[in-house]
Amino acid sequence: MAAFTFKRGIHPPDHKESTNQKPIKILKPIGDLIFPMAQHIGAPCEPIVKKGDRVLLGQKIADSEAFVSSPIFSSVSGTVKSIEEVEHPNGFKCKGIIIENDHLYEDDPSLNQVHDYKNMTNEEILEIIKNAGIVGMGGATFPTHIKLAPPPDKKIDYIILNGAECEPYLTSDHRIMLEETDRLIAGLKVLLSMFKDAKGIIGIEANKPDAIKKVTEAAKAEPRIDVITLHTKYPQGAEKQLIYAATKREVPSGKLPFEVGCIVQNVDTIVAIHRAVDRGRPLTRRIVTVTGDAIKEPQNFKVRLGTSYKELIEAAGGFVEEPAKIISGGPMMGFAMYTMDVPIIKGSSSILCLTKKAIATEDESNCMRCGKCVSACPMGLLPFELNKFALAQVEDEFEAYNGMDCMECGACSYICPSKRHLLQSFRTTKKQILTNRRKS
């Protein structure tokens, strides 16, 4: 057993074998590209182009003056077809820009600037990252330039790269570590140049031995970078759990990683940072796993932002059987989809298509107070009590029992023998509490 792990957690089957040994395929979009204005935590963007405008690949098409936000760039060259309400992968509607692809992929002239980060200030590097539209690619989508600017009185000891990819079925980060190894190391060196006294740690779960071997070899000449093998356990890749596994430091309730001297970044985010700094390329693509027992040819694709989910499913051979459930993201933390007519955005990690036999269909029954949810919760909460408060809409008690610390990993729902809809009730209650806070 690997020495690096966290407290509690679960061990679901990983179901990664259908894609983890297949090289990433490059997929060029066929139809129109759709760019929702909400692609990150924080204020949504506003279009800075209008209908009829010709745009180039890598051209900024939307931005915001808000502090917590991140610009959006066209992933193709073409013509702005319309600006209208569009479907978002997370199940709501928002303003979006629709671009008709001319299939020329003509670069914006501002691209391809090479920067010598070793002779740049932190502020200059952060400006590049901000202007490249980079956000957390592990799913949280928090603007990266803000995450890399902790308060000046907070000393950063560790830059931790998240290569755990603990969600079942997902393998995009695994393939990135195998196929973009040199860029991964180069991107981490950019961050280490910003935090002169920090150590770089790359954490990879033990079920990826080929990635561990290749990344370790690539980092062996770097004295400030260590590669550690993480125990294969869910949710090993969660920020606070990864910090504890790598450093044995615990992030206090309600606090952020910089409070314990750590910054965590997803491996694909680091590759995006390298592309921005070394090649002058904004974020216009990401790697997406298309998998599940309903998919004919499961695969990882390098896909341009704005591409339709439907096009990715067709590129993976379509369905062998009509899926009973389609999930955006992984099975533990993803969102059930009701349409495939939605675009890939910055936070899209996977399209998971499952047949009826692959999903749990048992009815919810009364809580047995067996305590399995307590032993599984990586945050040390009491899920069965929180569920009681959530269903009764007793928000003050929910908060008193630290319900807002729930990271929504779904470990409690997975382990529950009564099939209680624990995660669903927590999400609903947390959302209502946050709504009430904004009103007050």
Side-chain angles (χ1 to χ4, degrees):
M1 180 183 292
F4 297 93
T5 191
F6 64 98
K7 301 173 185 177
R8 297 172 292 275
I10 58 174
H11 298 85
D14 65 25
H15 295 295
K16 296 177 184 284
E17 63 282 348
S18 61
T19 56
N20 63 3
Q21 297 304 311
K22 294 180 180 179
I24 297 167
K25 282 187 178 180
I26 297 175
L27 180 66
K28 287 190 174 181
I30 299 170
D32 295 340
L33 285 294
I34 301 174
F35 300 88
M37 295 295 95
Q39 297 204 27
H40 47 263
I41 287 177
C45 289
E46 287 293 329
I48 56 174
V49 293
K50 62 183 185 300
K51 182 179 179 179
D53 284 355
R54 172 163 163 74
V55 296
L56 301 174
L57 196 168
Q59 178 180 332
K60 187 187 294 186
I61 57 173
D63 206 348
S64 170
E65 294 183 357
F67 177 68
V68 182
S69 193
S70 182
I72 298 169
F73 298 81
S74 177
S75 58
V76 297
S77 55
T79 304
V80 176
K81 197 171 182 179
S82 66
I83 297 174
E84 60 186 65
E85 290 285 296
V86 299
E87 298 283 352
H88 193 282
N90 289 358
F92 61 89
K93 290 187 176 184
C94 68
K95 187 184 295 184
I97 300 171
I98 301 176
I99 294 178
E100 184 177 359
N101 185 4
D102 64 11
H103 301 282
L104 298 177
Y105 303 103
E106 184 181 346
D107 273 356
D108 187 271
S110 66
L111 303 189
N112 305 314
Q113 295 184 35
V114 178
H115 303 92
D116 180 12
Y117 69 87
K118 295 178 182 178
N119 293 310
M120 299 176 73
T121 65
N122 284 11
E123 290 72 23
E124 289 171 330
I125 295 172
L126 290 174
E127 194 66 15
I128 293 171
I129 293 170
K130 176 183 178 181
N131 289 334
I134 299 172
V135 301
M137 305 283 274
T141 66
F142 190 79
T144 301
H145 65 282
I146 298 175
K147 198 172 185 179
L148 292 175
D153 62 328
K154 303 297 181 182
K155 182 177 180 292
I156 300 301
D157 301 312
Y158 298 103
I159 305 293
I160 304 173
L161 300 200
N162 183 0
E165 196 167 44
C166 58
E167 271 266 12
Y169 290 96
L170 275 60
T171 61
S172 58
D173 287 349
H174 185 175
R175 295 310 309 177
I176 286 167
M177 289 186 285
L178 288 173
E179 300 183 42
E180 307 252 21
T181 318
D182 291 342
R183 286 181 178 172
L184 181 69
I185 300 300
L188 178 52
K189 288 170 70 174
V190 172
L191 300 196
L192 291 175
S193 76
M194 297 174 62
F195 301 95
K196 307 295 186 186
D197 299 323
K199 186 84 174 178
I201 299 177
I202 305 174
I204 308 173
E205 275 197 337
N207 62 354
K208 306 172 185 64
D210 49 356
I212 293 169
K213 181 179 179 181
K214 189 165 185 184
V215 175
T216 300
E217 179 67 22
K220 69 179 182 181
E222 303 296 336
R224 294 177 63 195
I225 299 176
D226 290 336
V227 181
I228 63 172
T229 300
L230 303 166
H231 180 44
T232 303
K233 184 168 66 169
Y234 180 85
Q236 186 72 264
E239 196 168 59
K240 292 183 178 181
Q241 283 61 43
L242 180 58
I243 289 170
Y244 182 83
T247 70
K248 293 299 179 281
R249 299 182 180 187
E250 294 195 46
V251 181
S253 174
K255 301 295 183 181
L256 296 172
F258 63 68
E259 298 285 357
V260 294
C262 298
I263 291 175
V264 180
Q265 295 287 351
N266 172 264
V267 293
D268 200 10
T269 307
I270 294 296
V271 171
I273 289 172
H274 173 261
R275 284 169 54 84
V277 174
D278 187 68
R279 297 183 57 204
R281 309 293 298 193
L283 180 58
T284 58
R285 69 96 185 104
R286 70 160 297 142
I287 314 301
V288 180
T289 305
V290 183
T291 189
D293 66 334
I295 291 290
K296 186 176 182 180
E297 300 168 4
Q299 181 68 52
N300 281 299
F301 294 100
K302 182 180 288 187
V303 58
R304 294 170 189 269
L305 300 182
T307 303
S308 166
Y309 273 45
K310 187 179 290 184
E311 286 189 29
L312 267 76
I313 290 173
E314 291 171 355
F319 300 132
V320 292
E321 181 182 329
E322 193 65 26
K325 182 172 286 189
I326 299 176
I327 298 171
S328 178
M332 302 300 294
M333 297 185 73
F335 293 86
M337 307 291 294
Y338 66 89
T339 177
M340 290 296 94
D341 292 320
V342 293
I344 296 297
I345 60 174
K346 295 179 184 183
S348 302
S349 60
S350 171
I351 305 172
L352 177 57
C353 305
L354 301 173
T355 64
K356 188 174 182 179
K357 66 181 179 182
I359 62 176
T361 56
E362 299 164 79
D363 292 333
E364 186 179 27
S365 58
N366 291 333
C367 173
M368 298 186 293
R369 301 183 75 83
C370 64
K372 287 187 176 182
C373 60
V374 179
S375 64
C377 179
M379 296 301 293
L381 304 178
L382 302 176
F384 70 95
E385 290 282 11
L386 292 173
N387 181 236
K388 179 177 68 177
F389 300 137
L391 294 177
Q393 298 182 346
V394 186
E395 294 176 5
D396 55 345
E397 289 293 322
F398 184 88
E399 290 193 75
Y401 275 70
N402 300 312
M404 298 306 287
D405 283 345
C406 170
M407 53 186 283
E408 301 180 20
C409 68
C412 56
S413 295
Y414 177 85
I415 205 72
C416 178
S418 298
K419 304 303 176 187
R420 304 287 297 166
H421 300 161
L422 302 171
L423 174 57
Q424 181 178 327
S425 71
F426 303 159
R427 275 182 175 161
T428 301
T429 303
K430 287 176 64 181
K431 188 177 293 185
Q432 186 59 50
I433 290 171
L434 292 173
T435 299
N436 292 340
R437 285 180 184 176
R438 284 192 290 268
K439 290 178 179 177
S440 60

